[in-house]
Amino acid sequence: MVSFEPHPLLRNRHLMTFAAALWPRRYPLLPSPADRLFEVEPGTQVLARCHWQAEPQRRPTLVLVHGLEGSSESPYMLGIAGKAFRAGFSVLRMNQRNCGGTERLTPSLYNSGLSGDYRAVLMELVERDALPEVFFSGYSMGGNLVLKMAGDLGAASPAQLRAVATVCPGLDLAAGADALALPGNSIYEWNFLRDLRKRLRRKAQLFPERYRLDGIGRIRTLREWDDVVTAPHCGYRDANDYYARASALRVAGKIGVPTLILVAQDDPFIPLGSFRDPAIVQNPNITVVAPLHGGHCAFISNTDGEERYWAEARVVEFCLRHSKLAGAKGP
C-alpha cells in the first residue's frame, strides 16, 4: 500500500479537515447518474445516484455511504465514485434517510444504528439485480453503518459481499461524541448541530404530528441532541443506550469479510484508541491503516493526480484486490 505523505501546508489536523471540504475539485469522466429508490422498510425509501457500467452483471459494484449531514453530492463521494468507475466498478452513491433532499421519502430520522438499510440495499442488489460482486465503503458515520452491517451479517454474509472499506469510521459513538465536545472541536459540533436543526425543521414541516421543535435551539452538544432528539425518535432509551446499541464496535469481532479501516492518528474527533479494541485487533479479516496525519476524512497528499486524495485511491485499490471481475489494474 502506498504510504501517506500529507500536503506540506496541511499537517495541521484542522487545516487538513477544512481543506477536504473547501479544496476546489473536478470529477472528470463520471457519467450522469441514474436515480434509484430502495425500499429499506415499509414506508421508507433511500435514494441512490447510480453510475452503471455496461453489463453490470459482469462487473463489480461499489456502494458508497456518506457521513453525518453529508449526501451523495459530498466531495469525497464524487471523488471516490470517479476513481471506482474508471477502475471498472458500477458505483452507487447512497443518500442516508432524509439526506440529499429526500426528507419526503420517510417519516423517520436517520441515525448511526440503521445498518439494516444497507443490508436491504445489499440483498436487493444480489437477489433482484443478480450482481456477482458487491463492495461497500463508508465515511465517518457511514463507516460505522457499513461496519455494523458486516458485523450483523457475520457468518451469514452472502458470498457476493466481497469486502468493506471505511475511512475514519465513527465506530465508537460515545467516544466520538465526547471527543467532539472538547473545546478545540467546537466548530465541528456547532456546524453539525446547525445542520441537524435545519433538517429537523424541514421534517417538522412535512410531519408536524410527529416532530416538535420546542427547545432545540438550546441544545449545545451532539450528546445532548442524541439524548433529546435521536434517542426518543429512533427507539432508544437515551443517548447512552443509542451509543451502546448503534456502535459498530459492538459487533466488529463478527465481521467475516475482508475489511479495510483507514484512520488518521490526528483525526480531531475519532479517537484512535477505538481501533485498538480487541474486537478490531483480534479479527484477522480487519486491516487498520493509521497514518500520523490525515485529519477527518481528508488525507490530501503531497502528490498530484489520482493520488492527491489518498484515502479514495486506497479504498478503490483494496476493492480491486478483492475483486475477481475488475482485473488487477488499479485506479
Side-chain angles (χ1 to χ4, degrees):
M1 177 179 290
V2 177
S3 60
F4 177 63
E5 179 63 32
H7 191 286
L9 299 179
L10 301 176
R11 290 180 177 272
N12 178 278
R13 67 179 70 192
H14 302 299
L15 290 178
M16 177 71 80
T17 302
F18 297 149
L22 301 175
W23 196 295
R25 298 189 63 173
R26 294 183 178 180
Y27 309 99
L29 304 180
L30 187 61
S32 297
D35 287 353
R36 174 166 168 180
L37 295 175
F38 290 84
E39 185 171 28
V40 293
E41 65 180 34
T44 290
Q45 296 175 310
V46 293
L47 172 66
R49 312 299 304 277
C50 305
H51 306 276
W52 296 110
Q53 297 280 352
E55 298 186 289
Q57 287 78 16
R58 296 178 178 269
R59 298 293 190 103
T61 299
L62 176 60
V63 181
L64 305 176
V65 185
H66 61 80
L68 182 65
E69 287 306 293
S71 76
S72 59
E73 309 309 307
S74 295
Y76 54 84
M77 295 281 280
L78 292 165
I80 196 170
K83 289 180 174 65
F85 191 84
R86 291 193 295 277
F89 290 80
S90 294
V91 182
L92 278 66
R93 293 183 286 120
M94 302 299 308
N95 286 284
Q96 294 192 46
R97 298 188 189 195
N98 300 300
C99 297
T102 65
E103 285 89 353
R104 294 181 179 275
L105 297 181
T106 177
S108 64
L109 301 179
Y110 76 135
N111 70 83
S112 290
L114 292 172
S115 52
D117 287 5
Y118 304 98
R119 180 173 182 167
V121 170
L122 168 64
M123 298 315 296
E124 182 169 328
L125 293 175
V126 169
E127 295 173 356
R128 175 178 144 182
D129 296 272
L131 298 182
E133 292 186 345
V134 182
F135 298 79
F136 276 77
S137 180
Y139 278 63
S140 196
M141 177 184 179
N144 181 77
L145 285 161
V146 300
L147 290 173
K148 186 173 180 295
M149 176 196 72
D152 289 339
L153 286 167
S157 176
Q160 293 88 344
L161 178 61
R162 300 304 305 274
V164 170
T166 64
V167 180
C168 301
L171 51 70
D172 184 345
L173 299 178
D178 292 343
L180 199 59
L182 295 173
N185 290 329
S186 58
I187 184 63
Y188 305 110
E189 189 157 55
W190 177 86
N191 186 66
F192 284 140
L193 289 171
R194 178 198 62 185
D195 291 347
L196 287 165
R197 290 188 189 101
K198 290 179 180 179
R199 188 175 304 284
L200 189 63
R201 291 188 181 105
R202 292 195 294 271
K203 292 297 287 189
Q205 290 179 340
L206 292 169
F207 304 96
E209 73 289 349
R210 187 160 181 157
Y211 298 105
R212 297 177 62 87
L213 302 176
D214 302 349
I216 66 167
R218 295 191 295 272
I219 295 175
R220 292 292 177 264
T221 68
L222 187 63
R223 181 180 280 272
E224 187 179 355
W225 179 274
D226 289 334
D227 218 21
V228 173
V229 179
T230 307
H233 285 295
C234 299
Y236 300 99
R237 185 180 63 253
D238 53 24
N240 287 333
D241 182 48
Y242 167 46
Y243 295 158
R245 292 166 54 192
S247 292
L249 192 58
R250 181 176 60 84
V251 296
K254 299 178 181 179
I255 293 175
V257 297
T259 297
L260 175 67
I261 295 176
L262 302 175
V263 61
Q265 295 181 41
D266 68 352
D267 191 305
F269 50 87
I270 301 294
L272 188 64
S274 301
F275 304 94
R276 299 185 177 123
D277 189 279
I280 301 291
V281 175
Q282 297 176 11
N283 187 332
N285 297 304
I286 299 176
T287 300
V288 178
V289 179
L292 184 62
H293 300 286
H296 184 65
C297 293
F299 296 102
I300 301 174
S301 78
N302 193 29
T303 305
D304 292 327
E306 292 286 346
E307 287 291 332
R308 172 68 79 190
Y309 293 89
W310 178 85
E312 297 172 5
R314 300 290 76 73
V315 167
V316 175
E317 177 185 74
F318 180 79
C319 294
L320 280 168
R321 192 160 67 246
H322 292 281
S323 171
K324 296 180 180 179
L325 298 175
K329 185 179 179 180

